[in-house]
Structures are given as structure tokens and as C-alpha cells.
Amino acid sequence: MISAAVLITSLLIAINASIGGTFLVLRRMGMLTDAIAHAILPGLVIGYLLAESRSSPLITLFAAATGLLVTLLIYWLNKYLNVWVEASTGMVYTSFFALGILGVTLFGENADLDTDCILYGELLWIPFRRPLSGTFLDFAPWAVWQQLVLLGLWAILLLPSWPIWKSISFDIDFARTQGLNVERKNLQLLALVSLSTVWSFEAVGAILVMGFMLLPAATAWLWVKRLEHMLALSIALAALSAIGGYALAWWINLDPSTTMVLVSGTFFLLSLLWQRKSTLRVG
Amino acid sequence: MESKPIVDVHNLTAGYRRRPAIWNLDFQIQEGKFTGILGPNGSGKSTLLKCLLGQITPYTGYAHLWGQNVDKVRHRIAYVPQKESVDWNFPATVMDVVLMGRYRPGRFWQRLGKKDKEAALYWLEQTGMNHLANRQIGQLSGGQRQRVFLARALAREPSLLFLDEPFAGVDAGSAERILHMLKLLIEQGKSIVMVHHDLVSAGKILDNAILLNTRLVASGPVSEVFNHENLSATYGSDLSILSDVIDLVTRNPGRFKDPRNQKS
């Protein structure tokens, strides 16, 4: 069965994830997505316990806040205690994830909160999660509204000050000497990445979300020589992977989020091989 | 004519993670001069530069520019970092990088206009990089990268330019071009503060020098501070090159020459 809701949701998720991913890949901070996706588990549990329902915005709020907290902890450990960034990422997110699993085991039994859906997501259930019937929001599933809000936030963040994002991503110290408030910009970016992870993860799970974020961006980087083009190509590849992956899933009857990441990964591999060939030809 | 102090450093102690790398520095830098910060590895040159640029907060004392905190005068300064400090695989063209010098904070809508592009083009021409404007920065040589960084800084049209070892790993042609540009800036009345490694060329190109070895050894005109006592206090007394340097400076004070074409 082809569901327009599932396709549109995954398209939007892929596009939003690839925007955040572009900046993470350039800053060699790709693993952060994985860290956030796992570390928000305790936030989910707390939100769930307080709201006692799965669709409450409290859950999003707590999860996104936990994601941001984890990001800041990693940053802080690295900057002030001089812990190597991979080490601090590993330390922080595994501890948070363990805490979350403890929470799920203790409180998750009489709730339909289980580790499977957290790890693998449930894209096919998306159409059944809708806002209250009778309101105009009922027109589309929650996930579509969430992703549209996110897309709007990315536009507000990036469009008016695009040159500044370029400068900060390339050379953060130079941007700082220009008097740009780079810490605030960083925080805004990480908050959106965190929110993007939280909202994607219900659909595609804690593991595959990294593929959605990083693969299109990493592929695009192999082809372009300007940041604008990298972002545009990254979005296009994300959209293509979502559509291609959905078609593949429908054809061989698989979970769509899996095939989407597989298609994305294939793009990356092919680009890598092609670009290596062309480099050899020039050299 | 005595020029005004543009940089005023008083009782400055600074470092990382509560370990000072520079101690109780006191000196001034004159306006319109080409000033070098000199010292061996680990002498705190970079720490001092970071203090001047406001990238780290000092433990004691202050480093003022035009008598004010650096945050108040950021629009009047520019900075050429070491070219190793960034990833040159970043997706940007030469033009993109030079335009980065044009951004000024404060406005909500911060897109660049025609005037900014013209300024960027002008400085690309001045640094001899205009024919490479659309090239991806990863394809540039070391010297070309340094020239792009210089063009980006000059696109800000600063009154005071900071450079961190601009001649390190740079080919002779680029070094000559960069030095020529810096000389022109001084002629136009701008001020330059440069962290520099090579003592021999320092004697020939600089007006003033700050000799640093975690503490201040000396500061002032090169012809006065480059003596045996100061240089051995800075670099240690076992350097046989020291007497050669002093010879050179006393014979040939304050002249602009390409350091690469001279033999010590």
C-alpha cells in the first residue's frame, strides 16, 4: 500500500535532517547525531511519565532539552576539561542511554514504551498519529506538522544570516574576532539539530537517523566547491533517497526507513568511487 | 615624531586551564608601526596574540586597543590566522573566503551587496589572486592560501592588522607579495602586529619588536632591542646566529627587503 502521508513525512524528515547534517559533517561532528538520538531516552521517559500519553508535546520538550543538554555537556567536557571530543561523546551519551534504559525497564512495563520502537522507529504508523479530529490540523499527521515547523525554523535561522553561517563553519576564530556571537549561533544550530533528531527519531529510530543526517551531506561534499551547492545537493539527495527508498520498500516489502538509508548509502558509495576515478584521471 | 600607542598592555598574565603561559607583561605598541612579537616556541606568542584579539580572557591585567576593550573596536581590526588553523577541504571558493571578511554583526538581514563584492575583488587583485577567484580553496598552494587569508583580512579595511606567522610554509613569490602588501599598509598609516618566527628576517622588516620568553624581555625599536643581552635572554645564549643577526640589524636597520632573498 502506498501511503502519501508516509512518503511526505519521510521526505520532510530527510530534507530537515540533511540541512543539519551539512553543518555537522563540515565540523566533523557527525557522531553527535548518534549521541543525541541515544541520549534523549531519559528525557523521553521523564516526559512520558509526566504526560502519561505518547502524543504530548511535553515528551518532545523533554527529549529536545535532553538532547541539547547532552550536546552542551560534550562541548563543555571537551572545552574546559580538555577531554578528547570522541571520548567525551562516548562517555556522555552511553551514560544517558543507560539511564534511559533503566527508566524504560522500571516504568515502561505498563506503558507502550519499548526499546524496539526507540531503536528502529515506526514510520508506517505515522499516518495514524494525528492531531485531534475536528480541527484543521487533522488534515495531516503530527509528524508532518512537526517537520514543517522545523523547516520554517531552519529557514529563519539560515536565510537572513547565510554569510555568517559560512564564515562560522569555515573559520570560527576569525568569525569571533569579527565580533560575531559565535557561541549563540552554535547554540541555535545545535538546538535545531537536537529538535530535528527528536522529531525524526519517532519515525526512523535512534540508529537510522544518523544515516538521514550524514549520508546526503557527506555525498554532496564530494561533488561541490561551494557551501550553497553542498546544502542544495544535500537536500536534493535526501529527497531522492526518501522517494527511491520508499519505492524500494514498497517493491520488496521492507521497512521504508531502512531502504531509504540504503539508497542514501549507495549514493555515497557511488560518488566516492566516481570521484576517486576522476581524481586519478586528473592526477 | 612620536606616534600614539595603539595597543596598551598592562600587567597581563594569561594562559590556559589556570596555567599562565605569559606573565606580567607591560608594553605599548605605537600607531603606524610594523611591530613583531618574537620569541622561541612556547614563549607565549600565540597566547599574547589571543589576548590582544580577545579570544581568551586574561587572569590579571588588560590588553587594550585604542584605550578600550577589544570588543568595542572589532570593526577596526582584522586578523590573519595561521593557515593550518582551518580545513581547506571546506566547500568554498577563493571569492567566498574573501567575502567572509565583509560580514559585520548587528543587522538582522546580513546578506552581502554589490559594494562588498567589489571590495573583495579589489583585494583579490591587490594580493594577485583575482585569476583564482572561482577556484576551490583546497586546490591552492600554501602561499596562495596565505594570500587568500590576507585578502580576507584586508577586505575588512582595518586600521590595525594582526598576523600569526604569515611567512611560515610560504613560497618565495607569495612571501614577497605579502611583504609588499604589508609595507604598503604601513605607508598608508595603518598599524601591523605580527607574530614572527624568523629572527634574521625580523631584523630587516620590522620597525619595532616585542621580545618574549613567557615574560617580557624587551620592547621597542628593533635597532635598540636587538642586542646580545636581549636576544640571548629570549632565545638562550647558545645560538651562534645571534651575533650575525645583531650585525645585520646594526648595518641595515628597518629596511624592507624580501627575507627569502637574503643570506644571513
Coordinates of all heavy atoms in Angstrom, one line a residue, chain A residues 26 28 79-80 82 159-164 166-167 169-171 173-174 176-180 221 224-227 230, chain B residues 17 53 55 74 79 81 86-87 89-93 96-97 100-101 103 105 108-111 134 136-137 149 152 156:
Chain A
L26 N 30.6 19.1 8.1 CA 31.7 20.1 7.9 C 32.5 20.3 9.2 O 33.6 20.6 9.1 CB 31.1 21.4 7.4 CG 30.6 21.4 6.0 CD1 30.0 22.8 5.7 CD2 31.8 21.2 5.0
R28 N 33.0 18.1 11.4 CA 33.5 16.8 11.9 C 32.7 16.4 13.2 O 33.3 16.0 14.2 CB 35.0 16.8 12.2 CG 35.8 17.3 11.0 CD 36.0 16.1 10.1 NE 37.1 16.4 9.2 CZ 37.0 17.1 8.0 NH1 35.8 17.6 7.7 NH2 38.0 17.2 7.2
K79 N 35.9 21.4 26.0 CA 36.5 22.7 26.0 C 37.2 23.0 27.4 O 38.3 23.5 27.4 CB 35.4 23.8 25.7 CG 36.0 25.1 25.6 CD 35.1 26.2 25.1 CE 35.7 27.5 25.0 NZ 34.8 28.6 24.8
Y80 N 36.5 22.7 28.5 CA 37.0 23.1 29.8 C 37.8 22.0 30.5 O 38.7 22.3 31.3 CB 35.9 23.6 30.6 CG 35.3 24.9 30.1 CD1 34.1 24.8 29.4 CD2 36.0 26.1 30.1 CE1 33.5 25.9 28.9 CE2 35.4 27.2 29.6 CZ 34.2 27.1 28.9 OH 33.7 28.3 28.4
N82 N 39.2 19.5 28.7 CA 40.2 19.0 27.7 C 40.0 17.5 27.4 O 41.0 16.8 27.2 CB 41.6 19.3 28.2 CG 42.5 19.4 27.0 OD1 42.1 19.6 25.9 ND2 43.8 19.2 27.3
L159 N 18.5 31.7 6.5 CA 18.4 32.6 5.3 C 18.9 34.0 5.6 O 19.7 34.6 4.8 CB 17.0 32.6 4.8 CG 16.6 31.4 4.0 CD1 15.1 31.5 3.5 CD2 17.5 31.1 2.8
P160 N 18.5 34.7 6.7 CA 18.9 36.1 6.9 C 20.4 36.2 7.1 O 20.9 37.3 6.8 CB 18.1 36.5 8.1 CG 17.1 35.5 8.3 CD 17.6 34.2 7.8
S161 N 21.0 35.2 7.7 CA 22.4 35.4 8.0 C 23.3 34.3 7.4 O 24.2 33.9 8.0 CB 22.6 35.5 9.5 OG 22.0 34.4 10.1
W162 N 22.9 34.0 6.2 CA 23.7 32.9 5.5 C 25.2 33.1 5.4 O 26.0 32.2 5.7 CB 23.1 32.7 4.1 CG 23.8 31.7 3.3 CD1 24.6 31.9 2.2 CD2 23.9 30.3 3.6 NE1 25.2 30.7 1.8 CE2 24.8 29.7 2.6 CE3 23.4 29.4 4.6 CZ2 25.1 28.3 2.6 CZ3 23.7 28.1 4.6 CH2 24.5 27.5 3.6
P163 N 25.7 34.3 5.1 CA 27.1 34.6 5.0 C 27.8 34.3 6.4 O 28.9 33.8 6.4 CB 27.2 36.0 4.7 CG 25.9 36.4 4.0 CD 24.9 35.6 4.7
I164 N 27.1 34.6 7.4 CA 27.7 34.4 8.8 C 27.8 32.9 9.0 O 28.8 32.4 9.6 CB 26.8 35.0 9.8 CG1 27.0 36.5 9.7 CG2 27.2 34.6 11.2 CD1 26.2 37.3 10.6
K166 N 28.4 30.7 6.8 CA 29.5 30.2 6.0 C 30.8 30.5 6.8 O 31.7 29.7 6.9 CB 29.5 31.0 4.7 CG 29.1 30.1 3.6 CD 29.0 30.7 2.2 CE 29.5 31.9 1.6 NZ 29.2 32.0 0.2
S167 N 30.9 31.8 7.3 CA 32.1 32.2 7.9 C 32.4 31.4 9.2 O 33.5 30.9 9.4 CB 32.0 33.7 8.3 OG 33.2 34.2 8.8
S169 N 31.3 28.4 9.9 CA 31.6 27.0 9.6 C 33.0 26.8 9.1 O 33.6 25.8 9.4 CB 30.6 26.4 8.6 OG 29.3 26.6 9.0
F170 N 33.5 27.8 8.4 CA 34.8 27.7 7.8 C 35.9 28.0 8.9 O 36.9 27.3 9.0 CB 35.0 28.6 6.6 CG 36.4 28.7 6.1 CD1 37.0 27.5 5.6 CD2 37.1 29.9 6.0 CE1 38.3 27.6 5.1 CE2 38.3 29.9 5.5 CZ 38.9 28.8 5.0
D171 N 35.8 29.1 9.6 CA 36.8 29.6 10.5 C 36.2 30.3 11.7 O 36.0 31.5 11.6 CB 37.8 30.5 9.7 CG 39.0 30.9 10.5 OD1 39.1 30.6 11.7 OD2 39.9 31.5 9.9
D173 N 37.3 31.0 14.6 CA 38.1 32.0 15.4 C 38.1 33.4 14.6 O 38.0 34.4 15.3 CB 39.6 31.5 15.5 CG 39.7 30.5 16.6 OD1 38.9 30.5 17.5 OD2 40.7 29.7 16.6
F174 N 38.2 33.3 13.3 CA 38.1 34.6 12.5 C 36.8 35.2 12.8 O 36.7 36.4 13.0 CB 38.4 34.3 11.1 CG 38.4 35.5 10.2 CD1 39.5 36.3 10.1 CD2 37.2 35.9 9.5 CE1 39.5 37.5 9.4 CE2 37.2 37.1 8.8 CZ 38.4 37.9 8.7
R176 N 34.9 35.0 15.3 CA 34.9 35.6 16.6 C 35.6 36.9 16.7 O 35.1 37.9 17.3 CB 35.5 34.6 17.6 CG 35.1 34.8 19.0 CD 35.7 33.7 19.9 NE 35.0 32.5 20.0 CZ 35.5 31.3 19.7 NH1 36.7 31.2 19.4 NH2 34.7 30.2 19.8
T177 N 36.7 37.0 16.0 CA 37.4 38.3 16.0 C 36.6 39.4 15.2 O 36.9 40.6 15.4 CB 38.8 38.2 15.4 OG1 38.7 37.8 14.1 CG2 39.7 37.3 16.2
Q178 N 35.7 39.0 14.4 CA 34.8 40.0 13.7 C 33.8 40.5 14.6 O 33.0 41.4 14.2 CB 34.2 39.3 12.5 CG 35.1 39.2 11.3 CD 34.3 38.5 10.2 OE1 34.0 37.4 10.3 NE2 34.1 39.2 9.1
G179 N 33.6 39.9 15.8 CA 32.6 40.3 16.7 C 31.3 39.6 16.6 O 30.3 40.0 17.1
L180 N 31.3 38.5 15.8 CA 30.1 37.7 15.7 C 29.9 36.9 17.0 O 30.9 36.4 17.5 CB 30.2 36.7 14.5 CG 30.4 37.4 13.2 CD1 30.5 36.3 12.1 CD2 29.2 38.3 12.8
W221 N 29.2 16.7 -0.4 CA 30.6 17.3 -0.2 C 31.5 16.9 -1.3 O 32.4 17.6 -1.7 CB 31.1 17.0 1.2 CG 32.2 17.9 1.6 CD1 32.8 18.9 0.9 CD2 32.9 17.9 2.9 NE1 33.9 19.4 1.6 CE2 33.9 18.9 2.9 CE3 32.7 17.1 4.1 CZ2 34.7 19.1 3.9 CZ3 33.6 17.4 5.2 CH2 34.6 18.4 5.1
V224 N 30.9 19.2 -4.7 CA 30.7 20.6 -4.9 C 31.9 21.4 -4.5 O 32.8 20.9 -3.8 CB 29.5 21.1 -4.0 CG1 28.2 20.5 -4.4 CG2 29.8 20.9 -2.5
K225 N 31.9 22.7 -4.8 CA 33.0 23.6 -4.3 C 32.5 24.8 -3.5 O 33.3 25.7 -3.2 CB 34.0 24.0 -5.4 CG 33.4 24.7 -6.6 CD 34.5 25.1 -7.5 CE 34.0 26.1 -8.5 NZ 35.1 26.6 -9.4
R226 N 31.2 24.8 -3.3 CA 30.6 26.0 -2.5 C 29.6 25.4 -1.5 O 28.9 24.5 -1.8 CB 30.0 27.0 -3.4 CG 30.9 27.6 -4.5 CD 30.3 28.8 -5.1 NE 30.2 29.9 -4.1 CZ 29.4 31.0 -4.3 NH1 28.6 31.0 -5.3 NH2 29.4 31.9 -3.4
L227 N 29.5 26.1 -0.4 CA 28.6 25.7 0.7 C 27.1 25.7 0.2 O 26.4 24.8 0.5 CB 28.8 26.5 1.9 CG 28.0 26.1 3.2 CD1 28.4 24.6 3.5 CD2 28.4 27.0 4.3
M230 N 26.5 22.7 -1.7 CA 26.5 21.5 -0.9 C 25.2 21.3 -0.2 O 24.6 20.2 -0.1 CB 27.7 21.6 0.2 CG 27.7 20.4 1.1 SD 29.2 20.4 2.1 CE 28.8 19.2 3.4
Chain B
R17 N 43.7 26.8 31.1 CA 43.4 26.0 32.3 C 44.2 26.3 33.5 O 44.8 25.5 34.1 CB 43.6 24.5 31.9 CG 42.5 23.9 31.0 CD 42.8 22.5 30.6 NE 43.5 22.5 29.3 CZ 42.9 22.8 28.1 NH1 41.6 23.1 28.1 NH2 43.5 22.8 27.0
L53 N 43.5 39.8 20.7 CA 42.3 39.6 19.9 C 41.0 39.3 20.7 O 39.9 39.2 20.2 CB 42.5 38.5 18.9 CG 43.5 38.7 17.8 CD1 43.9 37.4 17.1 CD2 42.9 39.7 16.7
Q55 N 40.4 36.6 22.3 CA 39.9 35.2 22.2 C 40.0 34.5 23.5 O 39.3 33.5 23.8 CB 40.7 34.5 21.1 CG 40.3 34.9 19.7 CD 41.1 34.2 18.7 OE1 42.0 33.4 19.0 NE2 40.9 34.5 17.4
R74 N 36.2 46.1 17.4 CA 36.4 45.0 16.5 C 36.3 45.4 15.0 O 36.9 44.7 14.2 CB 35.4 43.9 16.8 CG 35.7 43.2 18.1 CD 35.1 41.8 18.1 NE 35.5 41.1 19.4 CZ 36.6 40.4 19.6 NH1 37.5 40.4 18.7 NH2 36.8 39.8 20.8
Y79 N 42.4 40.1 11.3 CA 43.3 39.0 11.8 C 43.6 38.0 10.7 O 42.7 37.6 10.0 CB 42.6 38.4 13.0 CG 43.1 37.1 13.5 CD1 44.5 36.9 13.7 CD2 42.3 36.0 13.8 CE1 44.9 35.7 14.3 CE2 42.7 34.8 14.3 CZ 44.1 34.7 14.5 OH 44.5 33.5 15.0
P81 N 45.0 34.5 10.5 CA 45.4 33.3 11.4 C 46.4 32.5 10.6 O 46.7 32.7 9.4 CB 44.1 32.5 11.6 CG 43.2 32.9 10.5 CD 43.6 34.3 10.0
V86 N 42.6 26.0 9.7 CA 41.3 25.7 9.1 C 41.4 24.4 8.2 O 42.5 24.0 7.9 CB 40.7 26.8 8.3 CG1 40.5 28.0 9.1 CG2 41.5 27.1 7.1
D87 N 40.3 23.9 7.9 CA 40.2 22.7 7.0 C 40.0 23.3 5.6 O 38.9 23.8 5.2 CB 39.0 21.8 7.4 CG 38.9 20.7 6.4 OD1 39.7 20.5 5.5 OD2 37.9 19.9 6.6
N89 N 39.6 21.7 2.9 CA 38.6 20.9 2.0 C 37.2 21.5 2.1 O 36.3 21.1 1.5 CB 38.5 19.5 2.5 CG 39.8 18.7 2.1 OD1 40.3 18.9 1.0 ND2 40.3 17.9 3.0
F90 N 37.1 22.6 3.0 CA 35.8 23.2 3.1 C 35.2 23.7 1.8 O 36.0 24.2 1.0 CB 35.9 24.4 4.1 CG 34.6 25.0 4.5 CD1 33.9 24.5 5.5 CD2 34.1 26.1 3.7 CE1 32.7 25.1 5.9 CE2 32.9 26.7 4.1 CZ 32.2 26.2 5.2
P91 N 33.9 23.4 1.5 CA 33.4 23.8 0.2 C 33.2 25.3 0.1 O 32.2 25.9 0.4 CB 32.0 23.1 0.2 CG 31.6 22.9 1.6 CD 32.9 22.8 2.3
A92 N 34.3 26.0 -0.4 CA 34.2 27.4 -0.6 C 35.2 27.8 -1.7 O 36.2 27.1 -1.9 CB 34.6 28.2 0.7
T93 N 34.9 28.8 -2.5 CA 35.8 29.3 -3.4 C 36.7 30.4 -2.8 O 36.4 30.9 -1.7 CB 35.1 29.9 -4.7 OG1 34.3 31.0 -4.2 CG2 34.2 28.9 -5.3
D96 N 34.5 33.3 -2.0 CA 33.7 33.1 -0.8 C 34.5 33.5 0.4 O 34.0 34.2 1.3 CB 33.3 31.6 -0.7 CG 32.2 31.2 -1.6 OD1 31.4 32.1 -2.0 OD2 32.1 30.0 -2.0
V97 N 35.7 33.0 0.5 CA 36.5 33.3 1.7 C 36.8 34.7 1.9 O 36.7 35.3 3.0 CB 37.8 32.4 1.7 CG1 38.7 32.8 2.8 CG2 37.5 30.9 1.7
M100 N 34.1 36.6 3.3 CA 33.8 36.4 4.7 C 34.4 37.6 5.5 O 33.9 37.8 6.7 CB 34.5 35.1 5.2 CG 33.8 33.9 4.7 SD 34.6 32.4 5.2 CE 33.8 31.2 4.1
G101 N 35.4 38.3 5.0 CA 35.9 39.4 5.7 C 34.9 40.6 5.7 O 35.1 41.6 6.5
Y103 N 31.6 40.6 6.4 CA 30.4 40.5 7.3 C 30.6 41.3 8.5 O 31.6 41.3 9.1 CB 30.1 39.0 7.7 CG 30.2 38.1 6.6 CD1 30.6 36.8 6.8 CD2 29.8 38.4 5.3 CE1 30.7 35.9 5.7 CE2 29.9 37.6 4.3 CZ 30.3 36.3 4.5 OH 30.4 35.4 3.5
P105 N 28.6 42.3 12.2 CA 27.4 41.8 13.0 C 26.5 43.0 13.3 O 26.8 44.1 13.0 CB 28.1 41.4 14.3 CG 29.4 42.1 14.4 CD 29.8 42.4 13.0
F108 N 19.9 42.3 11.2 CA 19.2 41.0 11.1 C 19.4 40.4 9.7 O 19.8 39.3 9.6 CB 17.7 41.2 11.4 CG 16.9 40.0 11.1 CD1 17.0 38.9 12.0 CD2 16.1 39.8 10.0 CE1 16.3 37.7 11.8 CE2 15.3 38.7 9.8 CZ 15.5 37.6 10.7
W109 N 19.2 41.2 8.7 CA 19.4 40.7 7.3 C 20.8 41.0 6.9 O 21.2 42.1 6.7 CB 18.4 41.4 6.4 CG 18.4 40.8 5.0 CD1 19.0 41.3 3.9 CD2 17.7 39.6 4.6 NE1 18.7 40.5 2.8 CE2 17.9 39.4 3.3 CE3 16.9 38.7 5.3 CZ2 17.4 38.3 2.6 CZ3 16.4 37.6 4.6 CH2 16.7 37.4 3.3
Q110 N 21.6 39.9 6.8 CA 23.0 40.1 6.7 C 23.6 39.5 5.4 O 24.6 38.9 5.4 CB 23.8 39.5 7.9 CG 23.1 39.8 9.2 CD 24.0 39.8 10.4 OE1 25.2 40.1 10.3 NE2 23.5 39.4 11.5
R111 N 22.8 39.7 4.3 CA 23.4 39.3 3.0 C 24.3 40.4 2.5 O 24.2 41.5 2.9 CB 22.2 39.1 2.0 CG 21.1 38.2 2.6 CD 21.6 36.8 3.0 NE 22.0 36.0 1.8 CZ 21.2 35.0 1.4 NH1 20.1 34.6 2.1 NH2 21.6 34.3 0.4
N134 N 37.5 31.9 -8.6 CA 36.5 30.8 -8.5 C 37.0 29.4 -8.2 O 36.3 28.5 -8.4 CB 35.7 30.8 -9.9 CG 34.8 32.0 -10.0 OD1 34.2 32.4 -9.1 ND2 34.9 32.6 -11.2
Q136 N 38.3 26.3 -6.0 CA 38.1 25.8 -4.6 C 39.3 25.9 -3.8 O 40.4 25.7 -4.3 CB 37.6 24.3 -4.8 CG 36.9 23.8 -3.6 CD 37.7 23.2 -2.5 OE1 38.8 22.6 -2.8 NE2 37.4 23.4 -1.3
I137 N 39.2 26.3 -2.6 CA 40.4 26.7 -1.8 C 41.3 25.5 -1.5 O 42.5 25.7 -1.3 CB 39.9 27.3 -0.4 CG1 38.9 26.4 0.2 CG2 39.4 28.7 -0.6 CD1 38.6 26.9 1.6
F149 N 44.0 34.5 2.9 CA 43.7 34.9 4.3 C 44.0 36.4 4.4 O 43.3 37.1 5.1 CB 44.5 34.1 5.3 CG 43.8 32.9 5.8 CD1 42.5 32.6 5.4 CD2 44.4 32.1 6.8 CE1 41.8 31.5 5.9 CE2 43.7 31.0 7.3 CZ 42.4 30.7 6.9
R152 N 41.2 38.3 2.8 CA 40.0 38.3 3.6 C 40.1 39.3 4.8 O 39.2 40.1 5.1 CB 39.8 36.9 4.2 CG 38.6 36.8 5.2 CD 38.5 35.4 5.8 NE 39.6 35.0 6.6 CZ 39.6 34.0 7.4 NH1 38.5 33.2 7.5 NH2 40.6 33.7 8.2
R156 N 38.3 43.8 5.2 CA 37.6 44.5 6.3 C 38.1 45.9 6.5 O 37.6 46.7 7.3 CB 37.9 43.7 7.7 CG 37.3 42.4 7.7 CD 37.7 41.6 9.0 NE 37.3 42.3 10.3 CZ 36.1 42.5 10.7 NH1 35.1 42.2 9.9 NH2 35.9 43.1 11.8

